[in-house]
Amino acid sequence: MSYPEISFLYLNEEEMIKAGVKNMHDCIDTMENVIKCLNAGDYVMGGENHNSHGSQVSFPKESKFPNMPIDEGDDRRFMAMPAYIGGPFDMAGMKWYGSNSNNKAKGLPRSILTLMLNDKDTGAPIALMSANILSAMRTGAIPGVGAKYLAKKDAKVCGICGPGVMGKTSLEAIISSCPNIEEIKVKGRGQNSLDRFISYAKEKYPHIKNIKSVDTIEELVRNTDVISFANSGNTDPSTYPFVKYEWLKKGALIIGLSCFDMDSTEMAKCKLVVDNTALYETWAEEFPYPSFGANNIIGSKFTDMIHDEIIKREEMIDLGDIINGIKKDRDTQNQIVIFSVGGMPVEDVAWGKYCYENAIKQGLGTTLKLWDKPDLA
């Protein structure tokens, strides 16, 4: 049987940067369109319910097989994250995720990511691209969308828990959406990472004069308008940063990119918003009650609270409903808002398509053939 030639574009990290992968303004706009597609239901992700975050391969603590990878610490996994997203994107693809916390000792990032875009009809590859920066940007941009709709317009103080990559990209997105920010507070575990973050922030945001580290979560959140939890975490909620309601400024916005915790009855006083309701309902199925901990994203605590009848199902608000004017951003100006960010492969596919189209316009990348001979009997 004779097949037509199929080729695809390969984009390395440098070419991705030239294609605009670091353009936070456009990434926030793109992620807002993603949220609209999610709210309309114009997407498909993995699993029978079409809402799975991805399929994860984890490893045992020990094995009788000498070549078997061993779980050596937090986030040791492989993960396949397939998706199709419609709307203005109309694209299928998959992010492939390999992670090992011991990579740092080898001078490598904890996670090494690639994204493949595919033709939605034939399944043929369209582009394979370096995805570490892509993933970091789309992860940071969702808080930017949240801040645009959920933060108070006069927000002046931003707090970042976790001075790593997610901390930097979420800060960039928050500042893009909250142009009146004039003070940055950061909390981390190591002085070296804190010093690097502060140096980075001073260079990138010279107009912000007050950039400082703090020692406690209370210091981080007191008198702070927008707080981003972008720290690393495990499956033990007792180790998560803990926030007391009394510490929070009236009208504050907390963005949960990663793990933090609050007392459930105090959290029930807040407006609880998620990036895609169906994702958290799926996690509640995949991680049987209590979901929070097994999944360390705060939205899984929301579903546990629904299970415990602390809040009603309709009190977990979809950001898309707020964007579309179906629900209010806050019931009063003093209401505290908690926004849970789960992260989804539809975001990678959407931002990947943006970069791919820019790469084509600029003539970037290397064209690779899927097969050389059209005769594949």
Side-chain angles (χ1 to χ4, degrees), residues 128-140:
L128 173 65
M129 57 189 69
S130 171
N132 272 57
I133 296 176
L134 179 147
S135 184
M137 291 299 295
R138 68 79 161 158
T139 301

Side-chain angles (χ1 to χ4, degrees), residues 326-344:
I326 299 170
K327 299 285 180 69
K328 292 180 179 179
D329 55 353
R330 60 183 69 228
D331 300 315
T332 68
Q333 283 302 298
N334 288 334
Q335 188 176 34
I336 294 162
V337 181
I338 301 174
F339 175 44
S340 180
V341 179
M344 291 163 278

Side-chain angles (χ1 to χ4, degrees), residues 305-323:
M305 290 163 64
I306 294 169
H307 177 276
D308 292 335
E309 298 184 348
I310 295 172
I311 62 170
K312 297 178 181 178
R313 164 64 183 76
E314 57 268 25
E315 291 179 272
M316 184 172 74
I317 309 299
D318 195 293
L319 179 61
D321 284 340
I322 294 172
I323 292 173

Side-chain angles (χ1 to χ4, degrees), residues 100-360:
N100 188 343
S101 57
N102 288 340
N103 281 355
K104 293 179 181 179
K106 301 175 182 179
L108 295 169
R110 184 202 69 195
S111 304
I112 299 175
L113 313 176
T114 54
L115 175 71
M116 177 67 84
L117 299 179
N118 296 83
D119 184 279
K120 66 173 184 178
D121 296 316
T122 67
I126 294 173
L128 173 65
M129 57 189 69
S130 171
N132 272 57
I133 296 176
L134 179 147
S135 184
M137 291 299 295
R138 68 79 161 158
T139 301
I142 293 291
V145 181
K148 176 180 175 180
Y149 285 93
L150 303 174
K152 296 185 76 171
K153 302 308 177 188
D154 61 350
K156 291 181 172 60
V157 182
C158 178
I160 302 291
C161 184
V165 173
M166 288 197 301
K168 291 176 181 176
T169 56
S170 62
L171 173 63
E172 182 178 359
I174 290 165
I175 288 176
S176 178
S177 295
C178 303
N180 294 318
I181 295 291
E182 58 187 29
E183 179 179 345
I184 298 169
K185 296 188 282 186
V186 59
K187 185 186 181 306
R189 288 181 290 191
Q191 192 59 48
N192 288 339
S193 60
L194 284 168
D195 290 343
R196 288 194 298 269
F197 183 92
I198 290 171
S199 295
Y200 156 85
K202 286 181 176 178
E203 181 178 351
K204 191 170 181 68
Y205 311 108
H207 65 287
I208 296 178
K209 303 304 180 185
N210 192 11
I211 302 174
K212 64 180 182 180
S213 64
V214 295
D215 296 326
T216 67
I217 295 299
E218 181 176 356
E219 290 177 279
L220 183 74
V221 304
R222 273 200 184 273
N223 299 312
T224 305
D225 298 295
V226 183
I227 305 115
S228 173
F229 282 94
N231 45 293
S232 58
N234 54 34
T235 57
D236 180 3
S238 70
T239 66
Y240 300 168
F242 193 84
V243 176
K244 291 187 177 181
Y245 185 86
E246 65 190 58
W247 297 341
L248 294 167
K249 182 178 179 179
K250 293 178 180 179
L253 167 65
I254 301 178
I255 301 172
L257 276 165
S258 185
C259 58
F260 78 96
D261 198 8
M262 285 181 68
D263 178 83
S264 295
T265 56
E266 291 193 338
M267 193 175 287
K269 301 175 186 177
C270 306
K271 187 94 168 184
L272 307 179
V273 182
V274 297
D275 44 358
N276 180 18
T277 301
L279 174 68
Y280 297 88
E281 293 175 337
T282 298
W283 268 332
E285 296 172 8
E286 294 176 342
F287 301 104
Y289 176 87
S291 300
F292 186 56
N295 179 45
N296 62 24
I297 304 298
I298 197 67
S300 284
K301 183 149 187 167
F302 300 171
T303 58
D304 286 347
M305 290 163 64
I306 294 169
H307 177 276
D308 292 335
E309 298 184 348
I310 295 172
I311 62 170
K312 297 178 181 178
R313 164 64 183 76
E314 57 268 25
E315 291 179 272
M316 184 172 74
I317 309 299
D318 195 293
L319 179 61
D321 284 340
I322 294 172
I323 292 173
N324 290 322
I326 299 170
K327 299 285 180 69
K328 292 180 179 179
D329 55 353
R330 60 183 69 228
D331 300 315
T332 68
Q333 283 302 298
N334 288 334
Q335 188 176 34
I336 294 162
V337 181
I338 301 174
F339 175 44
S340 180
V341 179
M344 291 163 278
V346 287
E347 298 159 4
D348 300 287
V349 172
W351 193 229
K353 184 177 182 184
Y354 168 96
C355 295
Y356 168 71
E357 290 178 339
N358 281 349
I360 292 295

Side-chain angles (χ1 to χ4, degrees), residues 25-79:
H25 178 272
D26 285 3
C27 194
I28 291 171
D29 287 347
T30 299
M31 292 306 107
E32 183 170 343
N33 282 326
V34 168
I35 296 292
K36 290 176 181 177
C37 286
L38 292 170
N39 192 250
D42 192 3
Y43 72 99
V44 173
M45 295 191 291
E48 294 273 333
N49 52 26
H50 298 164
N51 279 291
S52 180
H53 182 70
S55 178
Q56 180 170 311
V57 174
S58 301
F59 297 103
K61 296 291 184 183
E62 56 185 37
S63 174
K64 65 180 180 180
F65 302 105
N67 294 325
M68 173 68 70
I70 299 299
D71 182 0
E72 299 170 301
D74 293 339
D75 213 24
R76 178 71 170 102
R77 58 177 163 142
F78 286 103
M79 196 162 192

